[in-house]
Amino acid sequence: AKAKKEKEVKNNRHKILKKLKKPVLIIEGENDTIFNILEAKKLRSLIKNSKMKIIPNTNHIIVMNKPKALAQEIFHFLEQL
């Protein structure tokens, strides 16, 4: 029952993500072990108008480890809107 519920939640999440029309920036830490690059690429494939940036030499806590690089990527993304 638990596995069925998890699959149902995942399918619902995928349906919602596929409906997004606004530009989305996905920022990933190169060494993230919580939400790895493969997962981020799957996410990007679900969101039609998305871009993905990988911040080198950091993990999941980009805001703490590489705040300037994170801010630069966000500002660059916003300038393109």
Side-chain angles (χ1 to χ4, degrees), residues 27-40 54-62 65:
I27 301 177
E28 175 68 21
E30 177 184 38
N31 304 317
D32 192 336
T33 57
I34 295 172
F35 194 81
N36 64 45
I37 292 175
L38 181 60
E39 291 298 320
I54 298 170
I55 307 291
N57 303 314
T58 192
N59 57 24
H60 189 73
I61 311 172
I62 302 167
N65 298 326

Side-chain angles (χ1 to χ4, degrees), residues 17 26 35 38-47 50:
L17 292 173
I26 300 164
F35 194 81
L38 181 60
E39 291 298 320
K41 287 180 178 180
K42 287 179 189 175
L43 181 63
R44 185 177 187 278
S45 73
L46 292 171
I47 303 172
S50 65

Side-chain angles (χ1 to χ4, degrees), residues 25 27 53 55 68-78:
L25 177 61
I27 301 177
K53 294 293 181 176
I55 307 291
K68 288 181 183 176
L70 176 63
Q72 286 175 336
E73 292 297 345
I74 293 170
F75 284 126
H76 181 70
F77 176 76
L78 293 173

